[in-house]
Amino acid sequence: MRFTRELASVAESPMVQIATIAESMPDSLKLCYGESDLPTPAFICRAMDDAARAGHTFYTHTAGCGELRAAIADQIHQLHQVRYEVPEIMATVGGSMAIYAAIRALVGRGDNAVIVSPAYAIYSNSILMAGGEPRFASLALAGGRFVLDMDRVRDAIDANTRMLIVNSPSNPTGWVMTEAEQRALAELAERHDLVILSDEVYERLVYGAQLAPSLAGVVENRDRLIVVNSFSKTYNMTGWRLGWAQSSERTIKTLYRAVEFMTSNPAAMVQQAGIVALRDGEGYVAGLRAHYDARRQQVAAALASIPGITLPEMQGTFFAFPKCRFATDSTAFTAALVQATGVALAPGLAFGGDGEGYIRVCFASTEATLTTALARFRKFVIETGA
Ligand SMILES: Cc1ncc(COP(=O)(O)O)c(C=O)c1O
């Protein structure tokens, strides 16, 4: 038996090592994952239950039912004042499927795509699975915050580049792209005939604002842009697997023609619950943001008391991404930390080479868990003289 080169090139994340240790310890505190410890709100669970009982148990259109696509279109308009029509939107099995399909549609053998990094490993691995080459353009640190380094993005582009991939608000860095950065990226895409894949799944989780700006507000030619979004983070629906892609009609059609033979449609009753989440979820989202903001401030204060840590500004998402003098080998450090204290954090290397030397702390947890975890983390650093 011989696996394909494309799938064999997908390496196990350094996170798995940390998670495996944590899962084997009964009292471990797992701040290494990319999800909240809060359950999906009851009104969404009820909507799913009602929908299943009312007969939403059949296949829908591969791109999702019209009602959900229209509800997504209305939400985009309300939030970003841009009008996408139903044929320009498709519901997907999580934002993950939208990312994979978009990359498969545009990046093939001999092509490359440039990822603004550190970044969630789905992009580089989807590019590898498509037979392409992932390239990385690291964010820079300036004035205590991450900024887009356009020279690095420009330097990574060549004649075989097909796509620029950006995630804002960013997992793991918490960086939120400014409008000037958006415009610079859009101009570059225009100049080099590239498509931008903009992953905006954390758009509602920003602090000091209600919403992160969408690239859909800046890029006029819809062939140039694929926006990916998801219900996972906004409504704590990670396990439900519902997301969407928005782009030009012809791009969306190409994506769903292919997805028909991958996952086909997201579950019918989950789509119905998604409609209710969009319709009735604003109060919930506002409360969630306030909850995370309090945790964000708690974590910022706790990390500031740990020697050797520099914490870039946390503008969005539910992650802190401190640079740690003692974690030049972030996998070895986080492995030692979890073994000694039961506190599981994600090594920066899990987000590519540009993440090495950093650690990701998920703060979508309770005040008590964070207090205990960060106290143990601090004690470990001080006692080991890390
Ligand atoms: C940046 C980013 N994009 C996309 C996803 C995928 O989300 P889902 O497939 O649950 O919608 C995640 C999940 O962790 C993420 O962090």
Side-chain angles (χ1 to χ4, degrees):
M1 183 181 68
R2 191 170 60 87
F3 295 118
T4 60
R5 196 175 56 197
E6 287 77 12
L7 257 74
S9 63
V10 175
E12 187 172 87
S13 167
M15 255 270 285
V16 174
Q17 191 190 331
I18 309 307
T20 307
I21 301 170
E23 296 296 347
S24 72
M25 298 172 79
D27 298 322
S28 61
L29 301 172
K30 300 178 204 76
L31 306 181
C32 53
Y33 297 128
E35 68 180 344
S36 170
D37 63 3
L38 292 170
T40 304
F43 74 96
I44 297 176
C45 297
R46 259 195 315 271
M48 192 273 286
D49 193 32
D50 291 349
R53 288 169 201 280
H56 289 280
T57 56
F58 298 95
Y59 290 130
T60 68
H61 189 289
T62 303
C65 68
E67 202 187 347
L68 173 62
R69 294 164 79 191
I72 293 170
D74 288 346
Q75 167 92 344
I76 294 165
H77 184 243
Q78 199 164 339
L79 294 179
H80 299 292
Q81 289 78 53
V82 283
R83 172 56 64 194
Y84 273 73
E85 303 299 337
V86 166
E88 297 173 308
I89 291 162
M90 69 183 282
T92 53
V93 176
S96 301
M97 194 60 212
I99 292 167
Y100 180 69
I103 289 173
R104 277 309 300 265
L106 286 144
V107 184
R109 200 167 282 185
D111 298 334
N112 68 66
V114 177
I115 305 166
V116 175
S117 66
Y120 181 37
I122 194 170
Y123 317 117
S124 56
N125 283 307
S126 295
I127 294 165
L128 290 170
M129 285 190 272
E133 177 203 352
R135 295 184 168 193
F136 301 93
S138 179
L139 292 167
L141 263 179
R145 63 185 295 271
F146 284 104
V147 293
L148 188 62
D149 186 328
M150 284 307 291
D151 288 334
R152 289 181 188 160
V153 180
R154 248 179 250 113
D155 288 349
I157 294 173
D158 69 10
N160 296 322
T161 306
R162 300 281 165 259
M163 193 178 238
L164 294 178
I165 302 177
V166 66
N167 167 224
S168 162
S170 150
N171 169 15
T173 62
W175 165 67
V176 178
M177 212 179 346
T178 63
E179 203 178 309
E181 289 171 329
Q182 288 183 322
R183 291 198 183 286
L185 216 55
E187 275 169 29
L188 199 65
E190 197 61 48
R191 194 166 333 126
H192 293 274
D193 190 22
L194 307 175
V195 173
I196 301 177
L197 175 59
S198 181
D199 179 343
E200 303 182 359
V201 305
Y202 293 95
E203 68 170 358
R204 311 303 302 276
L205 303 182
V206 288
Y207 306 104
Q210 306 282 312
L211 181 71
S214 172
L215 262 164
V218 167
V219 177
E220 278 169 24
N221 176 356
R222 292 184 184 184
D223 275 339
R224 286 250 170 272
L225 178 67
I226 302 173
V227 174
V228 170
N229 215 319
S230 172
F231 290 73
S232 286
K233 318 292 172 166
T234 308
Y235 304 103
N236 283 325
M237 290 173 67
T238 47
W240 296 56
R241 314 311 301 129
L242 188 62
W244 76 83
Q246 63 191 76
S247 185
S248 64
E249 184 172 345
R250 71 174 178 149
T251 300
I252 290 300
K253 207 168 200 165
T254 303
L255 300 192
Y256 74 66
R257 270 203 317 252
V259 166
E260 168 110 41
F261 304 112
M262 298 177 183
T263 57
S264 189
N265 61 277
M269 64 294 283
V270 168
Q271 293 186 46
Q272 293 299 312
I275 294 166
V276 172
L278 293 173
R279 190 189 68 202
D280 299 339
E282 279 309 294
Y284 178 77
V285 174
L288 192 65
R289 189 185 303 117
H291 166 73
Y292 290 153
D293 198 6
R295 301 287 71 77
R296 178 180 76 113
Q297 291 172 38
Q298 179 192 355
V299 166
L303 290 175
S305 75
I306 302 178
I309 277 188
T310 313
L311 181 63
E313 208 180 302
M314 298 149 77
Q315 301 173 305
T317 74
F318 42 56
F319 304 113
F321 199 57
K323 194 171 175 53
C324 305
R325 211 177 43 218
F326 45 81
T328 45
D329 180 341
S330 58
T331 312
F333 175 78
T334 47
L337 177 72
V338 68
Q339 261 150 358
T341 68
V343 175
L345 305 178
L349 187 64
F351 308 95
D354 294 323
E356 187 54 301
Y358 290 82
I359 282 168
R360 191 189 73 175
V361 183
C362 174
F363 59 80
S365 191
T366 62
E367 181 177 2
T369 301
L370 291 170
T371 301
T372 309
L374 292 163
R376 287 191 203 166
F377 178 20
R378 179 172 188 272
K379 189 160 173 273
F380 179 80
V381 171
I382 291 170
E383 284 183 359
T384 59

